[in-house]
Amino acid sequence: MRNLIKRYRSKTQNIMKKINLDHISVNPMPPKVQDAMIKAIKQNYGNPSSLNAGGEQAAEVLENARGQVAKLINCKNNKEVIFTSGGTESANHAIKGIAFANAEKGKHIVTSNIEHSSVIRSIKRLTQLGYKATSVSVDKKGRVNPKDIKKALTDETILVSVMHGNNEIGTIQPIEEIARITKEKKIPFHSDAANTVGVIPIDVQKLGADILSFASNPYYGPTGVGGLYIRRGLNIWPMLDGGIQEKNKRAGTENLIGIIGMGAAAKLAMEKMDKRSEHLKNLKKLLISELPSYIDEYIINGDPENSLQNLISVSVKYIEGESILLMLEDAGYIVSTRSACATGSLRASHVLLSIGLKHEDAQGTIVITPGIENKKEDIIGFLKALKKIVTTLREISPLYK
Amino acid sequence: MLYSKTVMDHFKNPRNVGIIENADGIGEVGNPLCGDMMTIYLKIEDQKIKEIKFQTFGCGSAIAVSSILTELAIHKTIEAAKKITNKDVAKALEGLPKNKLHCSNLGADALQLAIKDYEAKKSGKTKPEPRRETEAHIPMHKKEGQKQCYCPYCDAKLSKKTTFCKACQSELDQEH
């Protein structure tokens, strides 16, 4: 009997519910989104490109979802939105598609030092094909100075790519100001908005970027589906050639179930934007204001004025991020880290080094991304666990005296 | 799980943490650029390691490496302790993830430095300089006894004068 209880306990402990403070990696889908997708699966829709009744019905729900996503970014013409397999495909498509379409005009690209790897590596790939790139640096808060972008432009420049909200430090870039410059020079402007679309209010008319890449999972939609806003008249090659799906811009039968989920999540995100924002802002404020009563000697990264409300990046001095992460998970809290030790490449984060952090401090960086289901108690519990862990690890550390 | 049970055990309950005041030997290795730094303190009596303590700044495996090293070394004679290698440490931990083998497995190096420090002090020589690498560490890419270079990340053969592995799309720190 005792053994039975022991076995039961170890089983229940294994599945003990952990508090997720890593929503930048994974977001739970709300019931409304789940229901929409389950309903769609059961419908057994036809192929949206088919001319039969089943196909027409599928095309109708596809266009409905497109409308929902277009509305989320205040895009007036639904045709300007195409669906992809996620933020990475969207960024690849935007950068390579524009570069290929404009190769005869020039082969120079301007970007920033703190982009997502899907942007960095797309541009790096193009440099293997003879394209040149200029990457502008950012200030200590992680902000790009639009004047630097202007200086970097040449007659050969065919694309500017600057992200909207950063996934490591949360800094939001002055996209409107950069767009004014690119518009004047008539250079296509791509912004990777994967961390902002559906999270903060976005109006593509005001924002001014010519092409915007985004994904559904940051705003509680399914993974594996994303979108691209392409301003009408923009010169761009498709990445996938084939049929005439997605207004001839992305061939291949659409991921209808995922797209329906993305549409449902977009509708929900619009309705609840203010409520969610306020809740997350309060959690962030609580965490930052309470932090000094739990730990000392840390750095909060990013720009306090222009920042994502759902992301807090903290560099804890004298200790290393992967150790913090493992111990936090043991205590029941999930966060992510930007320590080199936790990445496959064992390299320090380019974003943290770009904002001037020392290697040692970059090593101790954890990224906390609360979500709509988190409560104030989760934040306080997390801080209590963090305090204990920081004390333990600093006792081991030779850097802490 | 990324780490073996033994690694997790030593990470969560590290043995012999701390500093020995007036230690007979101190060994310090590491590289703040890639994140791991270790210090080993020794107390020697009758040519045996009577006490050993460590301090480590680093990831889970770096802490586990230091902890198990102190267990391997304690009560050993100096001659026996000199034979402990990084390989022995990794074996005692039931293996480490491949990409961590080089960067966090520095425990035995720190021990050897501490022993050298002890011997130098005893013979009245100056203390050996702590081994701190100033440049970002570069994983080994040449296999022992071979001229051919291999990618440090995926083990694919590399052509000469490249800074890019076509097989795994990794940027390489150094020209090969």
Side-chain angles (χ1 to χ4, degrees):
Chain A
M1 190 63 199
R2 197 171 277 172
N3 270 347
L4 248 173
I5 293 171
K6 229 183 188 174
R7 219 184 301 160
Y8 173 74
R9 271 199 192 139
S10 72
K11 251 189 187 169
T12 47
Q13 265 161 9
N14 279 341
I15 50 168
M16 181 185 81
K17 215 171 177 290
K18 290 186 175 138
I19 309 273
N20 179 17
L21 294 172
D22 184 22
H23 287 77
I24 203 127
S25 305
V26 63
N27 272 322
M29 276 196 274
K32 272 191 184 170
V33 178
Q34 288 179 5
D35 290 348
M37 290 175 77
I38 292 166
K39 205 180 131 201
I41 290 170
K42 289 187 175 163
Q43 279 279 338
N44 253 332
Y45 284 114
N47 186 326
S49 302
S50 304
L51 290 175
N52 54 39
E56 270 171 25
Q57 205 186 7
E60 204 175 290
V61 290
L62 175 69
E63 292 316 312
N64 178 45
R66 201 185 306 282
Q68 288 169 324
V69 174
K71 216 172 163 189
L72 179 67
I73 53 174
N74 195 28
C75 162
K76 298 288 182 223
N77 187 347
N78 291 0
K79 284 180 185 165
E80 291 178 319
V81 171
I82 66 160
F83 290 109
T84 67
S85 70
T88 293
E89 187 194 315
S90 293
N92 270 264
H93 188 168
I95 291 166
K96 293 174 186 169
I98 290 175
F100 292 157
N102 293 287
E104 282 178 5
K105 277 190 203 161
K107 286 192 164 189
H108 181 242
I109 299 166
V110 174
T111 186
S112 88
N113 275 352
I114 62 163
E115 297 296 309
H116 185 259
S117 48
S118 58
V119 170
I120 298 176
R121 295 184 90 166
S122 291
I123 294 176
K124 265 199 183 149
R125 182 72 64 200
L126 288 170
T127 61
Q128 291 178 335
L129 294 172
Y131 288 80
K132 297 267 181 294
T134 306
S135 190
V136 303
S137 49
V138 294
D139 62 14
K140 280 189 172 168
K141 294 172 178 172
R143 287 264 282 186
V144 171
N145 187 342
K147 281 181 192 156
D148 293 341
I149 298 281
K150 197 173 181 176
K151 267 186 231 158
L153 299 177
T154 70
D155 295 341
E156 294 272 293
T157 310
I158 42 135
L159 171 68
V160 173
S161 184
V162 176
M163 79 193 316
H164 194 199
N166 185 274
N167 54 314
E168 290 190 32
I169 53 173
T171 303
I172 294 174
Q173 302 297 348
I175 299 300
E176 290 97 331
E177 286 173 59
I178 298 169
R180 251 175 258 139
I181 297 166
T182 55
K183 204 166 264 174
E184 193 188 308
K185 301 257 178 187
K186 295 199 173 82
I187 296 167
F189 177 29
H190 164 243
S191 185
D192 165 12
N195 298 300
T196 49
V197 166
V199 179
I200 59 173
I202 284 192
D203 180 340
V204 285
Q205 319 297 334
K206 277 192 203 155
L207 203 61
D210 301 297
I211 183 162
L212 208 65
S213 51
F214 52 95
S216 111
N217 44 311
Y219 59 88
Y220 301 88
T223 52
V225 51
L228 202 51
Y229 159 78
I230 306 175
R231 193 181 294 282
R232 244 179 109 187
L234 187 74
N235 236 345
I236 184 167
W237 274 19
M239 276 296 98
L240 299 177
D241 290 303
I244 54 153
Q245 291 91 350
E246 297 300 298
K247 326 293 165 213
N248 241 337
K249 291 196 167 72
R250 201 250 189 201
T253 302
E254 291 88 348
N255 167 15
L256 194 60
I257 309 297
I259 289 168
I260 287 168
M262 182 174 185
K267 187 167 177 260
L268 207 60
M270 259 201 98
E271 289 165 7
K272 304 212 166 171
M273 181 85 66
D274 295 340
K275 217 176 145 195
R276 284 178 180 176
S277 262
E278 206 192 309
H279 177 65
L280 292 168
K281 268 181 196 158
N282 285 338
L283 292 183
K284 180 170 177 172
K285 220 167 127 189
L286 176 76
L287 200 156
I288 291 175
S289 64
E290 284 294 313
L291 202 52
S293 2
Y294 290 87
I295 63 169
D296 59 354
E297 298 199 71
Y298 60 85
I299 304 162
I300 293 187
N301 302 307
D303 184 351
E305 278 124 48
N306 302 289
S307 181
L308 294 172
Q309 73 265 22
N310 57 344
L311 188 148
I312 308 121
S313 165
V314 184
S315 299
V316 188
K317 290 196 167 203
Y318 316 119
I319 56 178
E320 190 275 331
E322 192 207 84
S323 300
I324 306 176
L325 190 98
L326 290 170
M327 286 199 170
L328 271 174
E329 192 181 345
D330 214 39
Y333 295 90
I334 303 194
V335 299
S336 69
T337 174
R338 294 309 308 154
S339 159
C341 301
T343 64
S345 66
L346 301 178
R347 286 198 182 94
S349 145
H350 64 285
V351 176
L352 297 176
L353 296 183
S354 294
I355 59 168
L357 275 197
K358 284 190 272 179
H359 272 88
E360 300 93 294
D361 295 338
Q363 284 293 73
T365 305
I366 51 171
V367 181
I368 307 138
T369 43
I372 48 174
E373 83 283 7
N374 286 129
K375 298 187 183 86
K376 281 185 178 175
E377 297 91 273
D378 297 345
I379 301 294
I380 299 298
F382 159 77
L383 287 170
K384 282 182 183 161
L386 184 68
K387 182 185 177 176
K388 242 174 123 179
I389 289 159
V390 169
T391 314
T392 310
L393 288 173
R394 279 184 178 166
E395 268 169 23
I396 305 176
S397 171
L399 300 181
Y400 186 67
K401 298 271 151 73
Chain B
M1 190 70 211
L2 179 66
Y3 295 129
S4 73
K5 268 187 183 169
T6 320
V7 174
M8 283 311 284
D9 173 39
H10 277 268
F11 166 64
K12 283 184 195 164
N13 315 293
R15 283 67 141 171
N16 304 310
V17 174
I19 303 174
I20 300 175
E21 298 293 336
N22 303 319
D24 296 321
I26 299 174
E28 197 182 312
V29 295
N31 175 357
L33 288 188
C34 82
D36 295 325
M37 291 173 77
M38 279 175 207
T39 315
I40 294 281
Y41 300 87
L42 295 177
K43 195 93 200 160
I44 313 264
E45 255 174 41
D46 302 329
Q47 289 296 302
K48 270 187 182 169
I49 297 175
K50 197 186 169 236
E51 205 185 346
I52 176 167
K53 290 208 162 169
F54 81 89
Q55 280 195 312
T56 292
F57 165 78
C59 64
S61 63
I63 291 172
V65 160
S66 322
S67 167
I68 206 157
L69 174 89
T70 61
E71 285 203 329
L72 288 178
I74 199 158
H75 307 314
K76 282 223 164 75
T77 61
I78 289 185
E79 286 317 306
K82 273 185 182 171
K83 288 188 185 126
I84 299 175
T85 64
N86 289 332
K87 261 188 190 163
D88 299 333
V89 173
K91 208 173 152 194
L93 284 172
E94 289 167 17
L96 283 169
K98 203 176 168 193
N99 61 352
K100 300 265 172 143
L101 266 175
H102 180 80
C103 81
S104 44
N105 197 4
L106 299 167
D109 296 348
L111 173 70
Q112 299 314 331
L113 268 184
I115 294 173
K116 266 189 199 153
D117 179 40
Y118 161 72
E119 287 177 337
K121 269 183 191 163
K122 221 176 70 175
S123 59
K125 281 182 205 153
T126 48
K127 194 179 152 190
E129 282 292 302
R131 203 194 86 194
R132 268 196 203 171
E133 295 159 41
T134 45
E135 282 175 29
H137 100 94
I138 299 148
M140 294 292 287
H141 58 272
K142 238 180 207 169
K143 288 187 177 170
E144 272 173 49
Q146 279 176 327
K147 275 188 181 171
Q148 172 75 43
C149 282
Y150 292 86
C151 170
Y153 302 107
C154 76
D155 249 2
K157 279 186 185 174
L158 293 172
S159 52
K160 273 182 188 167
K161 287 192 177 172
T162 177
T163 55
F164 186 77
C165 171
K166 281 182 187 162
C168 72
Q169 310 292 326
S170 292
E171 293 280 333
L172 308 170
D173 298 332
Q174 206 184 32
E175 195 177 85
H176 292 257

